[in-house]
Every structure is written in C-alpha cells, then in structure tokens.
Amino acid sequence: MNDIEAAFHQYFEIVTADTEELLKEVFNLRFRILCVHNTFPDFSKTKFPDELESDEYDKRSVHILLRHRPTGIFLGTARLILPDREQLHKKFPTELHTRFFPGFALNETSRQHTAEISRFAVLSDFFRRRSKLHMPPQSTNPAHKLQERRRCPHPSLGLAVGIIRLCAQHNIYYWLSSMDPALNRLLGFYGLQLNPIGPSINYHGIRCPYHACLLDVLERMHRDHRAIWELVTDHGNIWPVDLTLIRANWLPESDTHYIRATR
C-alpha cells in the first residue's frame, strides 16, 4: 500500500447511499453545502423547507457519501446521473443547460455508457469547524495537527475514487459534467481532469461543460500518477491495467476521436 492509499484509508470511507436513511443524509448535506453555504448562488434555503435538496434526476442516479473516519462526519457527496437505457433520447442536464463546441455530440452508442457527474459537493469549512462541532482533534500538538492536515488527501479525491468505482459497477465509460473550472484544475492535480467541450456559462455560477473517456483517464493515471491509479482501481482489481478488451467491446473508434483530439 502506497502512502496516498494509507492516508486515504486512514481518513476517508466511501459510502454508497443505497438506503432511504443514507439518501436523506445525501440530500441534507447537499442542502447545507449548496443552499446554506451558497455554493450554488441561485439556490435558496426557502425552496427546501425540509432541508433536503433534491431534484428530478435523483431517481435515475446513484449516490455516494464521503465519511471522515476519525469523526464519523459526512463531509462530501456526489452522484452519477445514469442514462435511461430504455429512453436513450433523454438528455442529461449538461446537454440542456450548456452549449457545446461544433463537432461534439453524444450518439446512441456512447450515450448508453455515459453518466453525468453531478452535485459534486464538499463541506469546505469542515476542518475549520471541528472545534466548534466538539470533534476530537487527532493531536493536541499544533505541529502534529499541521502534519495531519498536510497528510490528509483532499476530499475531492475521495469523491472521485467513489465515482470511478460506481462507474465499474454500472458499465459507465464516459463522463459528462458541468463544472467550475477551478474544480477541474484541482482534479487535474491527480490526473483526473476532464476535457472542455464548450464555453463557460452561468449555470449555478460559472460552469463549463466537460467530457472525458474514463478509460483514457485511467490510462493517463497509470502512466503519470501511478499511486493515484493504485488507489482508484484497487491495484487493478476494480479496473484492469489493460483496457484493450473493454475498448474493443464498448468504445467504437468514432466515439473517441474528438476526446483524444482535445487532450
């Protein structure tokens, strides 16, 4: 186990929100991050009197929570909006609310293996609020606390790990997302950046539409960020090193030209 893996498993646990109780945790955490902390400036607390932020896409989504192991607190969540394989013409939110560059479009073959990364949300002030929440510190020594902060991976990496593992379970090979460019730059630190496919637009704040072939991402990580690849694939147990067979079966050549041209 490499150092990044060891730190990740020390501080984080990925929880699949597959029960009614866990889904309420997802929706309440989204309410606190998106509405109370105004991560989405156009979201009002008054719109969700039950303090559960949800929308029509949640029913066709799979959800994860990121738990901080030392405290047991959920500090992040994300969802994958899955394709409706019985009605593949149904568009994803990014298709409805952003514009794409000429030459990019999802066809039926790629659409059935595409999911939209959405509601990617982290409780950004979690570590600053620990003392106010009466959470036990890992050490009373200031130097040890600083070392803990430096060693703890960014929660966004934890959510990305969960998303990649969900993709393996649901035969998802393409990502679509409307994302803050700053988040995409952060993900790029781990080799997880997506490709811009359109201009920035004001959609829950400044967002840019992105797309990526997950297999391209995994191959890039294996080449350039081996320790991260070992974490997200569990050393090849979740996603194999050799992706040739998956490409041959599921990724027609015409679907990958545009993405490779923009890398």
Side-chain angles (χ1 to χ4, degrees):
M1 181 180 293
N2 64 56
D3 289 344
I4 291 177
E5 282 183 283
F8 179 87
H9 292 300
Q10 177 181 349
Y11 291 105
F12 295 141
E13 178 188 9
I14 300 164
V15 178
T16 302
D18 53 4
T19 68
E20 184 176 345
E21 181 181 359
L22 286 172
L23 283 173
K24 283 186 178 180
E25 294 281 359
V26 167
F27 300 149
N28 177 254
L29 184 57
R30 279 172 22 186
F31 172 80
R32 287 184 282 136
I33 296 172
L34 304 180
C35 304
V36 177
H37 294 177
N38 295 119
T39 304
F40 282 8
D42 53 346
F43 273 36
S44 170
K45 292 186 291 185
T46 59
K47 186 179 178 182
F48 305 99
D50 57 359
E51 300 188 351
L52 303 174
E53 189 281 313
S54 62
D55 67 13
E56 68 272 24
Y57 294 103
D58 285 315
K59 291 182 179 180
R60 58 182 270 206
S61 300
V62 284
H63 305 261
I64 55 170
L65 287 157
L66 187 68
R67 193 198 310 267
H68 182 245
R69 285 185 186 273
T71 61
I73 298 293
F74 290 123
L75 73 160
T77 184
R79 71 181 180 186
L80 274 181
I81 303 176
L82 299 175
D84 186 332
R85 293 190 170 101
E86 294 183 357
Q87 300 183 67
L88 285 174
H89 64 277
K90 283 190 175 180
K91 293 187 175 182
F92 293 99
T94 291
E95 294 179 278
L96 296 172
H97 300 290
T98 69
R99 293 187 293 114
F100 297 160
F101 293 135
F104 179 84
L106 296 177
N107 62 33
E108 267 200 16
T109 303
S110 61
R111 187 180 292 278
Q112 63 183 318
H113 297 290
T114 298
E116 179 160 337
I117 301 171
S118 176
R119 295 301 195 267
F120 192 102
V122 172
L123 199 59
S124 59
D125 66 344
F126 172 78
F127 291 100
R128 292 195 301 272
R129 294 170 61 242
R130 285 177 58 173
S131 59
K132 293 181 182 179
L133 293 172
H134 306 291
M135 295 185 232
Q138 295 305 292
S139 171
T140 57
N141 186 321
H144 291 171
K145 285 193 204 177
L146 180 60
Q147 184 179 25
E148 176 194 350
R149 287 294 307 273
R150 287 176 174 173
R151 187 167 184 264
C152 182
H154 195 282
S156 292
L157 175 61
L159 291 178
V161 172
I163 285 169
I164 290 174
R165 294 181 179 182
L166 282 179
C167 289
Q169 297 171 20
H170 295 274
N171 295 320
I172 296 299
Y173 309 121
Y174 297 104
W175 287 339
L176 193 66
S177 188
S178 302
M179 195 186 306
D180 182 340
L183 175 57
N184 197 49
R185 290 193 294 272
L186 173 63
L187 294 175
F189 181 77
Y190 304 108
L192 286 160
Q193 70 272 21
L194 283 68
N195 306 297
I197 54 170
S200 296
I201 192 170
N202 191 352
Y203 172 51
H204 304 320
I206 299 301
R207 298 289 185 269
C208 185
Y210 292 94
H211 186 274
C213 173
L214 173 56
L215 305 191
D216 286 349
V217 172
L218 292 173
E219 287 178 343
R220 181 175 64 225
M221 291 174 61
H222 185 263
R223 182 184 67 241
D224 300 332
H225 301 270
R226 185 64 60 85
I228 302 296
W229 179 88
E230 290 173 352
L231 170 62
V232 302
T233 69
D234 187 25
H235 295 259
N237 291 317
I238 295 172
W239 287 97
V241 177
D242 187 354
L243 299 166
T244 304
L245 186 59
I246 296 177
R247 285 192 182 278
N249 287 338
W250 301 112
L251 273 67
E253 188 177 2
S254 60
D255 285 346
T256 58
H257 281 326
Y258 181 88
I259 300 307
R260 288 175 178 170
T262 58
R263 288 199 305 178

